[in-house]
Amino acid sequence: MKVHDKVVVVTGGANGIGRALCRRFAAEGARAVVVADIDHSAAADVAQEIGGLAIETDVSNESHVIRLVEQTIEAFGLIDLFCSNAGIFGVMGGAEVSDPDWQKIWSVNVMAHIYAARAVLPVMLTRGNGYLLQTASAAGLLTQVGAAPYSVTKHASIAFAEWLSITHGPSGIKVSCLCPQGVRTRMLLGEDGNRESFLREGALEPDDVAAAVIEGLDAERFLILPHPEVAEYFRRKAGDYERWLNGMRRLNAKVQAGMGS
Ligand SMILES: NC(=O)c1ccc[n+]([C@@H]2O[C@H](COP(=O)([O-])OP(=O)(O)OC[C@H]3O[C@@H](n4cnc5c(N)ncnc54)[C@H](O)[C@@H]3O)[C@@H](O)[C@H]2O)c1
C-alpha cells in the first residue's frame, strides 16, 4: 500500500517512532494524519508541524479508542491505515512484578491493539479494505532480557497480529507487525538520554524505522524488521531452541553483570 492520499491514524504519535511515522506519512502525501497520544500537548505540536489532527487518546481505555475511530471517520470519512504503535516498557523483573504493573503493561501493549481492531475492523470489513500496523518489538520474536512484562506483552501482541492476518486477510484486511530492536527514543535512552542499555549499540534512529515501515507497507509484508539481523536471530531460535536459550542465558548473565538492560 502506498500512503499517498490515505487517511492514517498513529497512536503514540507524539514522540519517538510514532512521531517519525506521522512525519513520514505526511511527507508521503497522506490525505490526513491523526496523531493520537495520551500526551496531548506533544501530539498537538506534531499535528501542527505536519498539518495533521491531534486527538487525545489513552489507548488502554476502550472508550478513548472508540472515540478516536469515530472522530477520525467523522472528519475524513474512513480510515485506510491504523497504526497501533503506542507502547510502554514497564518495569524490570519477572514473576515478582506486582499485579498492577502487569495489568498496566498488558492494557497498553496488548489490549490497546484489541480495542483498536474491535473499533476499526467492522468499518474496514464493510469496505473490504483496510490496513492495520501494530508496533510490537524484536522482544516479541526473541525476548527482552531482564523484563518479563515487556517480553510477554510483545509476544502476545505479535500473536494477535498474526491471528488478525490469518483470519481477516482473505477479506481484504492487510496486517503488518513492526518489530525493531533498539531505536533511539525516550523508551530506550530514558528521559535524559543517558540510560545504559546494551541495545544502544546498533540502535536505529526513528526516521530509519519510518523508512522501513514505508517499504514494508509498500510490499504489504507481515513482518517489518528495521534491523534485518532479527530475521536471522528468529531463524536460529526456531532452528535450535535449546542452543538459542543457552545463548540468551549468556547474554542475560552479561547484562545482569552490569551492562544495563
Ligand atoms: N525504542 C525502542 O527501542 C523500541 C524497540 C522496539 C519496539 N518499540 C516499540 O515502539 C513503540 C513506540 O515506542 P517509542 O520507542 O517510540 O517510545 P516513546 O516513549 O518515545 O513514545 C511512545 C509514545 O506513546 C505514548 N503513549 C504511552 N502510553 C500511551 C497510552 N496509554 N495511550 C496513548 N499513548 C501512549 C507516549 O506518550 C509517547 O508519545 C512501542 O510500542 C515500543 O514498545 C520501541
Side-chain angles (χ1 to χ4, degrees):
M1 188 192 81
K2 300 273 186 216
V3 173
H4 182 78
D5 217 24
K6 299 296 192 301
V7 176
V8 184
V9 176
V10 182
T11 71
N15 289 286
I17 295 169
R19 180 172 57 195
L21 290 176
C22 289
R23 288 175 172 155
R24 183 64 192 263
F25 292 152
E28 293 289 317
R31 179 154 76 83
V33 178
V34 176
V35 188
D37 206 286
I38 200 166
D39 181 347
H40 189 57
S41 93
D45 288 346
V46 175
Q48 190 179 23
E49 176 194 327
I50 63 171
L53 172 67
I55 299 182
E56 187 170 4
T57 311
D58 174 355
V59 295
S60 66
N61 181 330
E62 185 169 19
S63 65
H64 285 212
V65 178
I66 292 170
R67 194 186 56 203
L68 168 65
V69 168
E70 285 176 353
Q71 288 185 358
T72 305
I73 292 176
E74 233 169 71
F76 305 110
L78 79 172
I79 297 174
D80 294 294
L81 168 63
F82 191 103
C83 303
S84 192
N85 164 78
I88 57 173
F89 189 80
V91 297
M92 301 295 285
E96 78 284 6
V97 169
S98 71
D99 280 9
D101 283 332
W102 273 102
Q103 290 298 347
K104 182 168 187 210
I105 194 167
W106 186 259
S107 300
V108 181
N109 288 5
V110 183
M111 293 313 295
H113 301 309
I114 294 165
Y115 298 150
R118 203 182 271 162
V120 82
L121 257 180
V123 275
M124 288 181 170
L125 285 168
T126 303
R127 285 192 4 251
N129 190 8
Y131 209 127
L132 303 171
L133 173 83
Q134 260 183 228
T135 304
S137 168
L141 295 168
L142 305 165
T143 194
Q144 182 73 42
V145 294
Y150 192 75
S151 301
V152 169
T153 55
K154 291 299 183 178
H155 276 261
S157 136
I158 295 174
F160 184 57
E162 276 171 7
W163 188 90
L164 288 173
S165 176
I166 292 164
T167 307
H168 297 296
S171 312
I173 307 301
K174 308 283 190 307
V175 183
S176 288
C177 193
L178 172 61
C179 294
Q181 244 174 352
V183 185
R184 298 179 63 80
T185 69
R186 214 173 45 176
M187 181 180 284
L188 179 70
L189 306 176
E191 292 288 338
D192 58 4
N194 290 326
R195 182 183 293 145
E196 289 287 309
S197 169
F198 74 97
L199 290 172
R200 285 179 85 119
E201 199 186 316
L204 296 177
E205 294 299 331
D207 285 350
D208 301 325
V209 176
V213 166
I214 292 296
E215 191 272 323
L217 292 176
D218 201 16
E220 300 185 348
R221 193 178 323 107
F222 177 75
L223 209 46
I224 301 182
L225 299 177
H227 301 75
E229 62 271 29
V230 170
E232 178 55 26
Y233 302 154
F234 190 41
R235 260 193 297 275
R236 285 187 206 159
K237 178 179 176 179
D240 192 341
Y241 221 142
E242 296 304 323
R243 188 167 177 211
W244 179 81
L245 285 168
N246 274 326
M248 293 309 291
R249 286 180 192 119
R250 283 194 296 276
L251 175 63
N252 187 47
K254 255 206 252 175
V255 170
Q256 301 306 328
M259 288 178 63
S261 61

